[in-house]
Amino acid sequence: MTTFLAFYQNLGPALTLLVVGIFLLAGTVKGIIGLGLPTVAMGMLGLAMLPAQAAALLIIPSTLTNLWQLATGGHLSELLKRLWPMLLLIFLGTGLGTLWLGMGGGHSVVRALGAALLVYAMSGLFLPTFKVKPQGERWLGPWCGLITGIITSATGVFVIPAVPYLQALGLNRDQLVQALGLSFSVSTLALAAGLAWRGTLGGSEISASLLALLPALLGMWLGQALRQRISAVLFKRVFFIGMALLGAHLLISG
């Protein structure tokens, strides 16, 4: 239990409450729109702690909620056959990025996190939905995976360009939700391996991440309950605007 709580004792009560609130909010966002937990968590935690520390906290909540999302849908086998080149390059790109860039504590990492959030938000707000033809998947999928992996290793954000690419494949809603869960699961596990290799994911960080799972799950349940009562389109727009503002703040003040 000492190890379990040591991380939060070092953070202090105010920052601990902030972490709980952030994961509650991030889980709610994921419950409503099916994505956003690591993006919200990394962006908001980046205001108060080092990116590597924030990334360590999200490992277990992100992994378990993504596996939950991945387990539903009934399309896992066909998605693996279709997406394995991208998934493989996500893992390899994260490993390459860990060796090349890593996720240190400098201002450049915070600015990179802000830039990733800003690009993601702008693409969600303004870019039209692209369509990728089947013959284009052979080369575009691996490149998207490689770039996503490198960005993941540097910022802890694994939505660019994987999410726009998956949205462009013409998947139905159930397939897309499951494909996102699959991509995010691979990205999270690759990120965890990179953090462990660099010595920033130990027993206390894993224990602290396990505690962060509770508000994340509560948030997901709340988000799923709210999904039928609010406009998903309006919520997505507000979400992207919030991410844009947060990314701009991190980019300027980082």
Side-chain angles (χ1 to χ4, degrees), residues 15-241:
L15 197 50
T16 297
L17 287 176
L18 178 65
V19 170
V20 170
I22 287 172
F23 275 98
L24 181 64
L25 174 63
T28 302
V29 171
K30 186 175 180 66
I32 293 173
I33 63 175
L35 53 85
L37 188 150
T39 310
V40 172
M42 281 299 300
M44 298 190 73
L45 290 173
L47 297 172
M49 60 181 64
L50 297 176
Q53 195 176 31
L57 276 179
L58 69 83
I59 292 299
I60 290 181
S62 181
T63 299
L64 294 185
T65 55
N66 286 325
L67 288 175
W68 179 3
Q69 182 174 332
L70 172 62
T72 60
H75 303 284
L76 181 58
S77 177
E78 63 181 273
L79 287 173
L80 281 172
K81 291 178 181 178
R82 185 173 182 178
L83 300 177
W84 72 264
M86 183 193 79
L87 300 173
L88 176 62
L89 266 295
I90 286 176
F91 198 91
L92 294 178
T94 304
L96 176 64
T98 298
L99 295 173
W100 176 32
L101 300 171
M103 194 184 301
H107 293 294
S108 60
V109 177
V110 178
R111 292 192 181 101
L113 173 59
L117 293 176
L118 188 57
V119 169
Y120 174 53
M122 292 298 101
S123 68
L125 285 171
F126 300 114
L127 287 183
T129 301
F130 296 103
K131 295 295 182 184
V132 176
K133 296 181 179 180
Q135 58 268 31
E137 292 183 39
R138 297 179 181 178
W139 63 270
L140 189 57
W143 274 110
C144 284
L146 179 63
I147 296 170
T148 298
I150 292 173
I151 293 174
T152 296
S153 70
T155 67
V157 174
F158 32 79
V159 293
I160 293 294
V163 170
Y165 171 75
L166 291 174
Q167 291 172 334
L169 294 181
L171 304 172
N172 65 41
R173 186 181 182 279
D174 290 340
Q175 290 174 324
L176 178 59
V177 168
Q178 196 167 20
L180 290 171
L182 183 58
S183 175
F184 295 162
S185 295
V186 171
S187 295
T188 304
L189 293 174
L191 177 62
L195 291 172
W197 184 83
R198 295 184 68 87
T200 54
L201 184 64
S204 62
E205 288 82 8
I206 292 175
S207 298
S209 182
L210 185 60
L211 280 179
L213 175 65
L214 299 177
L217 290 176
L218 178 59
M220 275 196 71
W221 173 81
L222 179 62
Q224 290 171 346
L226 290 172
R227 183 186 298 171
Q228 306 302 323
R229 302 185 181 185
I230 63 176
S231 167
V233 174
L234 176 61
F235 186 85
K236 275 188 176 182
R237 184 167 296 276
V238 173
F239 166 70
F240 283 128
I241 291 172

Side-chain angles (χ1 to χ4, degrees), residues 1-22:
M1 181 61 72
T2 301
T3 303
F4 210 69
L5 298 176
F7 188 95
Y8 291 102
Q9 289 173 342
N10 291 334
L11 288 182
L15 197 50
T16 297
L17 287 176
L18 178 65
V19 170
V20 170
I22 287 172

